[in-house]
Structures are given as structure tokens and as C-alpha cells.
Amino acid sequence: MFESSSSLPQDSPLAPLQPPLSWEALEALAPEEPDRTEGPTSSQARLRLFGKPLASVRVVLYRDHYAWCPYCQKVWLWLEERQVPYRIEKVSMFCYGAKETWFTRLVPSGLLPALALDGQLITESDVILQALEDSFGPLGRSLLDPAVLPLRQLERDLFRAWCLWLCSPGHEAEGKRRFELQIARVCAALEQSPTDFFLGDFSSADLVFVPYLERMVSSLLYYKDYELCRLWPAIDRWFAALEQRSTYRGTQSDHHTHAHDLPPQMGGCHGIGPASSRQWAPRIDQGPFIDLGDSRQPAPADAPQEALARVLKHRHTLLDVYSSLPELALRAALTRLITAEPCAPPPGSDLGLRSLRDRICVPRDMGLHAARALRQALEDTAALVGDRQGPELPQRHRRDQNPLPFLAPPGAQP
Ligand SMILES: N[C@@H](CCC(=O)N[C@@H](CS)C(=O)NCC(=O)O)C(=O)O
């Protein structure tokens, strides 16, 4: 894309690298932030109308800033699938920073999600889903359908077996055995279906499995080197069918985000050895970031542009928060992202570049493929000047992800 000023071949170690683009040039290459009120599912939306008038909004969803809470994902995906207009209020989770007092006045436990329906506040995701179904009709099948009820119970049995294996030290063999008993039951249920979903078309039976199956696949790969989707093809087919849906893709997270957001929520995750000795953890953390198996969809051609626009929107805050990241280094990584050509950052910026690489959160910050492209550009740029890793991600909290500095002024899209 950029002509070299030298006649040296590009692969020569002496070939001069392109200079970083200016902020103005980068801004000219970034797309406008799309309207989030209509269009595909997005964690950045604050209002969703699905072509209906503002006056038709009866629902307010209180959810986490990180677009990560599994119980919020269930309700979020239900609203998106059923195209029920709603407003979104974002709330902090304890492990990321202080909970907003306006929310604890509303919900003293501070637990998410909460939902207001016609002004009536409801907590507990299953109670919320039932209330939504009662008001707006079921998602394919009723949550109380005799075919759905045993699947909901199966999801809880699977959840408990996963928690035991992932979170209890000293239960490695037994934990795996019990998990496999349950996942075999899930696959048997899927294999009885005429489609890749549980009961024909996508329905509430599938919805209830989404949040934790996604987290199981990523966490077991990262902490146990357990390739769930390869070992259990019915689960892989189910994800492939799910990923056809833009609603799901908008809520979908990735292996890296789950691997590092789960420990503080679960009270720790136990790996089968140190991360460096495992097969998958180093790749999920340090790349190469392609072919990690967390998406079966081809990368959209504009994934780098999406990542660029998201970084530019928050660049001043990012440079404040990441004090080890010089602005020239960030421009070098963005230049690499958008031109696919190497661009040298200043000496010593490897640490700051990798700190940012490790803190991209999907889908909070951007979509899975945009995040993948950005992580790769940050890593490739850092590798030009050093091999230092950033500070380790904390296990007991994620206050390194405090949302406060990134909050948009009232009324703006974050
Ligand atoms: N049984 C509840 C569980 C909700 C829950 O545990 N939410 C977690 C987030 S995943 C929470 O809000 N924890 C408090 C916090 O992290 O701030 C439901 O289904 O809604």
C-alpha cells in the first residue's frame, strides 16, 4: 500500500520500514461509528428499536459494562432474537471497580442482570426470561415446554460438572470424567434433533446453553488443553449453526477474554500445569491469533477498520491509562493494522504494546475478528523492538479493566 523509499527488498533486515501514519491520516481511514440503535447486535448500543418507534420501548436492561456477564448474555440475546425494543443501562461488576450507587439503591445485592418491564423491576435471569416470554411470546419454544424443561435441567447439570473440573484443585480425573458424562448427554440430545440445534429451529432451549457452553469451550481449552469442539462434533456443529446468526455473533466473546475474565468470577481456574507448559494457553495469550477455533466464520474484510475506529475513539484515554505505551508506538501498531506492512515503534515500547494486546475485551471493545487483527498488529509491532511481556493479568480481580475512564459523556455512545 505504501511505496518504499528504498530499492532494498522488503524482506531485507536493512529495509527501512514505513513511518507511522499521523492521527489525521489514520482518522481518514477509519469508518464512521455505525448507528447502534438499528443494525446488527452490538455491545456498544444504548438503545435498540428494530425499526419500531421510541414510544414502543417497554424494557430497560441493566447489564455489565464489559458485555461479559453470562446471565446478561442470555437476556441480551433473547431481546435481540425476539426484536423487542429496549434501552440499555450499563453497570460495573465488583471485580472491575466500584458498583454504581444508583444501581445498588435499585438492586441492593448489586447482581446483574436486572430488567425493568413497564417500570416493574425484575432480577434473576430465569425470572426475567419468563416475564419477557409472558409479555412478548416465546422464543421458538416456551421455557416451560415439556421438551425444553429437561434441557434446562441438563444445562445446570453440565454447569455444575464444569465448575467442579475447572475450579476445584485435586479433582482433575474425576472432574473430567463427570464433565464428559454430562457433555455426552448434551450431545445425545443434539444428535436426536433433525437440525444442529436442540429442537429444530433455534429456540429458548439453545439460548439457555449459549453463555456457559461458550465459556466451557474457551476455559477448558486454555486451562486443560481440552479441545471440546474437536472431541464432541455435535457441539461444534451447534456452534457453527449459532455463528450463522448475527444476533449471536454480536454477543460472542473469544477464548482470550473468557480465559482471563473467568478466574475472578469463579474464584480461580485450575490449569493442568503452568500456562507456559500448556499447549493452548501460550497461543491464546501471545498468538499467532489466527485459527484458535473460537470462530468458524471467515474474518470480515473490514475487521481491521473496525478495530481502528474503536481505538481511535478512545485513543486519548488509552494513552492516559497505558502510561507505558508511547503515542508513536500506538500509531505504529495502527499503521500495521491498516496497511498490513510492518512499521517500527520506538525502542522500549514492546511492553506497552503487549499490555494493550492483553486487555482487549470481546465483545465489549470490538468484534472477535477485529480484536484478533488488532492483537496481531500489536504483537507484530512489539516484536520489532523486543520480547518483554506486559504485567501479568490479575487473577482475583480485573481492576486493570476499570471502565470509568472510558465512559462516554451522558447521551453519547460509549
Ligand atoms: N442467579 C442470578 C445470577 C446473577 C449473577 O451471579 N450475576 C453476576 C454476574 S455474572 C453478578 O452480577 N455479580 C456481581 C458483580 O460481579 O458485580 C441470575 O441468573 O441472574
Side-chain angles (χ1 to χ4, degrees):
M1 197 176 219
F2 288 84
E3 280 177 33
S4 166
S5 55
S6 149
S7 57
L8 285 167
Q10 271 302 309
D11 57 358
S12 158
L14 298 176
L17 302 179
Q18 60 173 324
L21 294 170
S22 66
W23 290 115
E24 292 71 26
L26 288 164
E27 256 146 25
L29 294 167
E32 291 269 298
E33 282 266 314
D35 170 21
R36 312 279 188 197
T37 301
E38 302 293 344
T41 305
S42 163
S43 68
Q44 278 104 44
R46 302 306 291 259
L47 173 69
R48 296 286 284 160
L49 289 179
F50 307 105
K52 299 178 184 107
L54 188 58
S56 67
V57 175
R58 296 170 55 192
V59 170
V60 183
L61 172 63
Y62 300 91
R63 57 136 341 131
D64 60 321
H65 279 295
Y66 319 94
W68 183 82
C69 158
Y71 303 97
C72 298
Q73 187 185 13
K74 217 165 41 166
V75 177
W76 179 22
L77 187 54
W78 193 99
L79 290 164
E80 291 286 325
E81 282 282 341
R82 288 291 284 103
Q83 303 210 333
V84 170
Y86 65 106
R87 249 180 353 94
I88 300 105
E89 294 290 348
K90 294 189 180 176
V91 179
S92 196
M93 280 164 73
F94 291 122
C95 70
Y96 298 84
K99 184 85 62 183
E100 292 78 353
T101 46
W102 65 261
F103 185 68
T104 45
R105 273 198 292 272
L106 216 55
V107 179
S109 69
L111 286 187
L112 295 161
L115 182 134
L117 174 58
D118 296 328
Q120 188 87 29
L121 192 74
I122 312 168
T123 56
E124 287 293 322
S125 58
D126 284 350
V127 180
I128 293 171
L129 289 179
Q130 192 59 58
L132 288 171
E133 178 173 304
D134 293 346
S135 290
F136 301 101
L139 175 58
R141 299 263 190 149
S142 167
L143 289 157
L144 302 176
D145 183 305
V148 174
L149 284 172
L151 289 169
R152 290 173 66 188
Q153 181 56 50
L154 177 54
E155 191 275 337
R156 289 291 85 190
D157 295 345
L158 179 70
F159 172 78
R160 273 189 289 278
W162 169 67
C163 290
L164 177 80
W165 185 17
L166 184 66
C167 305
S168 313
H171 285 84
E172 198 49 46
E174 180 60 8
K176 181 176 177 186
R177 190 187 70 78
R178 289 207 209 169
F179 178 81
E180 288 192 321
L181 275 179
Q182 300 304 331
I183 200 79
R185 291 177 62 212
V186 175
C187 288
L190 281 170
E191 275 153 10
Q192 275 175 17
S193 169
T195 69
D196 292 333
F197 292 123
F198 282 101
L199 299 169
D201 290 340
F202 180 83
S203 75
S204 52
D206 300 285
L207 179 98
V208 298
F209 278 91
V210 165
Y212 279 111
L213 260 182
E214 199 185 290
R215 284 152 184 77
M216 287 172 199
V217 169
S218 297
S219 60
L220 295 179
L221 190 68
Y222 186 88
Y223 291 101
K224 312 284 187 191
D225 277 334
Y226 186 79
E227 298 177 28
L228 198 156
C229 289
R230 186 178 61 76
L231 294 165
W232 301 93
I235 303 288
D236 195 48
R237 289 194 297 273
W238 182 79
F239 272 107
L242 204 55
E243 286 175 9
Q244 305 282 326
R245 309 177 84 79
S246 68
T247 46
Y248 171 66
R249 292 201 303 275
T251 74
Q252 185 182 10
S253 186
D254 68 354
H255 289 333
H256 187 279
T257 304
H258 285 320
H260 295 288
D261 279 6
L262 278 166
Q265 291 300 326
M266 306 288 287
C269 298
H270 291 274
I272 50 171
S276 58
S277 71
R278 303 198 296 263
Q279 191 192 332
W280 281 95
R283 270 205 59 198
I284 292 170
D285 283 343
Q286 296 168 25
F289 296 102
I290 50 158
D291 297 336
L292 290 173
D294 42 10
S295 168
R296 292 141 195 85
Q297 290 279 310
D302 63 353
Q305 283 78 6
E306 178 191 339
L308 175 66
R310 298 298 302 153
V311 174
L312 288 179
K313 183 170 178 85
H314 291 291
R315 74 176 159 103
H316 297 294
T317 315
L318 284 170
L319 291 168
D320 275 356
V321 169
Y322 292 85
S323 51
S324 61
L325 179 63
E327 69 88 27
L328 193 60
L330 183 56
R331 279 200 282 128
L334 295 176
T335 304
R336 164 116 204 183
L337 170 76
I338 214 72
T339 65
E341 295 292 337
C343 177
S349 57
D350 47 335
L351 201 135
L353 286 162
R354 291 198 175 95
S355 296
L356 180 59
R357 177 201 70 186
D358 295 346
R359 285 165 180 79
I360 300 164
C361 173
V362 177
R364 179 195 65 184
D365 302 331
M366 60 193 76
L368 183 151
H369 291 281
R372 190 181 277 183
L374 180 57
R375 284 197 189 110
Q376 194 65 56
L378 288 161
E379 171 54 32
D380 291 344
T381 306
L384 293 172
V385 286
D387 57 9
R388 289 178 306 162
Q389 299 295 322
E392 271 200 26
L393 295 172
Q395 300 276 312
R396 290 170 183 269
H397 63 81
R398 291 305 309 272
R399 287 192 284 274
D400 59 318
Q401 295 265 314
N402 185 356
L404 280 184
F406 292 92
L407 293 190
Q413 301 251 334

